[in-house]
Amino acid sequence: ISVLNDHVLDRLLTLLQEEIGKSPLPFSWLLIGSEGRQEQVFKGNQSSAVIYEDCQEENTNREAAEYFRMLSEKAVSHLIACGYSSDPGAPAAADPKWRQPQSVWDRYFRDWCKFPDRERDFDPALFFDFRSGAGNVSLAEKLREQVHALTGGETPFLHFLIRNCISSQPPLSFYGNFVVEKDGQYSDALDIEGKSLVFFVVFARAMALKHGICKTNTLERLRLLLERQHIPGDLGSELVEAYELLMHLRLVHQLHLIEEGHMPNNWINPGDLSDLEKQTLKEAFQVVRRLQAFARHEFGLLDKR
């Protein structure tokens, strides 16, 4: 799905540049969040940004600002027409804040690493999963080097990430029963993304940043962490298997909804699962608890649950 989305984006930007002309400065179209992690499924929002080369010429900077405004607004609009929705709360290149020269992006990441702000309407951690979707890849790579210089080792920002990972529990009660919504539209269902997969995503992100792993995909991050012995072998294997299981359940669930003529979502009713699926899902949630225990120890947060 991510490969298909990348081809759509690349073709769209190519056509737009043929329409409005070549960019005055080299740029990279950044993909953020699940797109940056190559984890798009049947339901997902476009999250994007633009980084372009710094320039000392004032006229060129003004021309670049206007060019990337036009390119970004048209691209986001066309992507919506292609079926890629744009959540008002998600970062998008159509917002002037998220199309900036290299030096401004460097400052953004320095600020986020020093003062993570919980009061914002967006999660700054999503930006740490960026990758280049089109354009000049070297600009994204240079920014990646800057990010790893800021986050390598033990930093307050990584502690901030891990606290988000250990502050809540997987949807499994003390007695081993699923914790589901009690009423509303998703009564008797649980959020497979927000209550399950998110633990793996946040943990893999924090560990990858700590150990200088440049991959953004969660599964690739987990496998590299295991390969380089940054996590115990038995835990690493369990994390990979549990993550793959949860993604499988999520994709099958969304596919069934589409086949029935419904919009895909992330809400799974455990009552619709087979006994084997229920048991493996419970085992995956137990793996999350072991992940959290390791994260507390790894980042010295044993007394900060």
Side-chain angles (χ1 to χ4, degrees), residues 16-188:
L16 282 175
Q17 289 179 87
E18 291 176 0
E19 175 187 324
I20 65 178
K22 184 180 178 181
S23 62
L25 291 170
F27 78 98
S28 178
W29 186 278
L30 301 180
L31 299 174
I32 313 296
S34 61
E35 282 191 290
R37 296 192 303 274
Q38 295 179 297
E39 293 166 6
Q40 285 280 282
V41 287
F42 297 112
K43 173 180 171 56
N45 297 315
Q46 52 167 309
S47 297
S48 58
V50 168
I51 180 173
Y52 56 92
E53 195 174 79
D54 284 298
C55 179
Q56 301 301 319
E57 294 288 335
E58 188 174 336
N59 288 339
T60 303
N61 282 327
R62 281 199 297 267
E63 181 185 352
E66 175 58 22
Y67 178 90
F68 292 121
R69 180 196 67 78
M70 190 184 314
L71 178 73
S72 300
E73 290 179 355
K74 284 178 174 288
V76 169
S77 176
H78 284 310
L79 285 169
I80 292 173
C82 288
Y84 299 94
S85 62
S86 181
D87 188 332
D95 185 333
K97 183 172 183 178
W98 307 131
R99 50 175 193 267
Q100 296 291 340
Q102 181 101 41
S103 57
V104 174
W105 279 106
D106 287 347
R107 190 184 76 241
Y108 282 171
F109 278 97
R110 285 197 304 272
D111 291 344
W112 289 332
C113 285
K114 291 178 182 177
F115 307 102
D117 189 348
R118 298 169 186 260
E119 302 303 320
R120 305 249 180 165
D121 292 332
F122 72 98
D123 183 0
L126 297 177
F127 284 86
F128 288 78
D129 295 336
F130 73 85
R131 66 181 174 92
S132 177
N136 190 314
V137 177
S138 64
L139 288 169
E141 291 176 343
K142 186 177 179 181
L143 182 60
R144 175 70 58 196
E145 292 174 2
Q146 159 79 357
V147 169
H148 281 295
L150 292 168
T151 59
E154 296 284 346
T155 67
F157 181 73
L158 295 186
H159 284 198
F160 166 76
L161 292 183
I162 287 298
R163 285 194 185 97
N164 285 344
C165 179
I166 64 178
S167 60
S168 58
Q169 295 296 317
L172 196 64
S173 72
F174 178 80
Y175 297 102
N177 300 316
F178 292 113
V179 178
V180 297
E181 295 294 302
K182 295 182 179 179
D183 48 36
Q185 181 181 358
Y186 300 110
S187 176
D188 297 325

